[in-house]
Amino acid sequence: MRLTIVGCSGSFPGPDSPASSYLLEAEEDGRTWRVVVDLGSGALGSLQRFADPSTLDAVLISHLHPDHFIDLCGLYVSRRYHPRGAALTPLPVYGPAGTDRRVLAAYGPDAEADLPSVYDVREFTDGGVVRIGPFTVTTRTVNHPVPAFGMRIEHDGAVVAYSGDTDSCANLVELARGADLFLSEASFIEGRDEARGVHLTGRRAGEAATEAGVRRVVLTHIPVWTDADTVVREARSAYVGPVEAARVGESYLLERVAVRQGSGVQ
């Protein structure tokens, strides 16, 4: 399974990155399966550097803030009006309840008749399991002001855990348990951002990683006014494994390991 960072800027696009979006790819049955996790502001343009949008097998939306879903509007245009659009089957789009209505509200009422032929919108549930080709996706609700989901994505024994937007919570640790890579937001800084129930700091992301026993942490959703090195240092104060900030174009190949450190799972 390969993870590619498509966008990692927090809350809105920055000068070097679109908002949140991540591409997962895996080879099986003689072809490449492609799933995009979140498609925030500006992400569709960046995605085209790494994959043809017409080859996607699903889009997974963690929650319905614009920096995580708004480029579904552009992808709708791409699939609806592309010269090969008539040959494309409806793309599965998973997200919180009301995802179809939110996309329609953002795009405009003229899409109402065509949206079901472009997107097959399905709802995430707390504790639900979705299978998309070779990927198994487990979702849990997380701690954010709107309905939001974290995800655990598995393929051939390898695990990516994605926090979505959240503050500390038990479900986040559960999703990340023993993950090969923990893709965690770190929007806040200790001592500067006091609001709770919204976002993680680097330290709180590190604490979750330690409790979950993950093998690697990649911090994402870092706003333009936040220094990435600062949140990385905070995470390292609470987690002793590898930590880095996400960067557009960075790619991580995740493969089965014989024994997961500290888990005893083979």
Side-chain angles (χ1 to χ4, degrees):
M1 173 166 57
R2 182 176 296 277
L3 166 68
T4 301
I5 307 298
V6 175
C8 53
S9 183
S11 301
F12 58 89
D16 301 315
S17 174
S20 293
S21 191
Y22 314 94
L23 174 66
L24 287 161
E25 299 174 290
E27 303 293 329
E28 191 156 302
D29 298 329
R31 75 174 185 92
T32 303
W33 291 77
R34 295 184 175 92
V35 171
V36 166
V37 178
D38 281 341
L39 197 63
S41 322
L44 181 59
S46 180
L47 174 64
Q48 293 170 77
R49 295 168 51 189
F50 312 110
D52 179 344
S54 70
T55 67
L56 298 180
D57 293 290
V59 177
L60 314 179
I61 299 298
S62 65
H63 67 288
L64 295 175
H65 280 151
D67 59 318
H68 291 260
F69 91 93
I70 199 65
D71 271 24
L72 281 174
C73 294
L75 185 60
Y76 166 83
V77 173
S78 171
R79 296 181 69 88
R80 168 66 178 82
Y81 295 102
H82 194 286
R84 299 195 310 274
L88 299 176
T89 57
L91 178 68
V93 174
Y94 295 84
T99 294
D100 52 350
R101 296 190 299 275
R102 182 64 68 85
V103 173
L104 186 61
Y107 184 86
D110 54 308
E112 184 170 9
D114 291 329
L115 193 66
S117 67
V118 176
Y119 290 149
D120 176 9
V121 181
R122 310 175 188 185
E123 291 184 12
F124 278 146
T125 60
D126 185 27
V129 178
V130 173
R131 290 179 175 83
I132 304 161
F135 299 105
T136 299
V137 183
T138 303
T139 53
R140 295 302 310 266
T141 55
V142 290
N143 187 9
H144 201 51
V146 301
F149 291 88
M151 306 177 204
R152 180 183 180 90
I153 303 165
E154 302 175 67
H155 171 261
D156 194 27
V159 179
V160 172
Y162 174 50
S163 69
D165 281 9
T166 184
D167 200 347
S168 302
C169 62
N171 282 353
L172 177 64
V173 175
E174 178 185 332
L175 285 171
R177 185 78 62 192
D180 297 284
L181 189 149
F182 180 33
L183 183 62
S184 177
E185 74 119 296
S187 305
F188 283 177
I189 287 179
E190 294 288 324
R192 185 193 71 183
D193 304 297
E194 301 297 337
R196 296 305 305 259
V198 184
H199 290 298
L200 294 166
T201 62
R203 181 180 63 78
R204 295 201 293 268
E207 289 171 348
T210 295
E211 186 174 353
V214 308
R215 302 181 68 219
R216 183 176 194 170
V217 174
V218 177
L219 299 176
T220 190
H221 200 275
I222 300 173
V224 296
W225 52 68
T226 295
D227 176 57
D229 291 340
T230 298
V231 292
V232 168
R233 284 195 300 271
E234 286 188 358
R236 287 176 176 161
S237 73
Y239 172 73
V240 298
V243 183
E244 62 193 273
R247 291 178 175 81
V248 171
E250 285 293 325
S251 187
Y252 305 88
L253 182 62
L254 304 165
E255 299 177 299
R256 181 200 301 270
V257 293
V259 179
R260 298 197 186 282
Q261 268 189 329
S263 71
V265 177
Q266 298 189 16

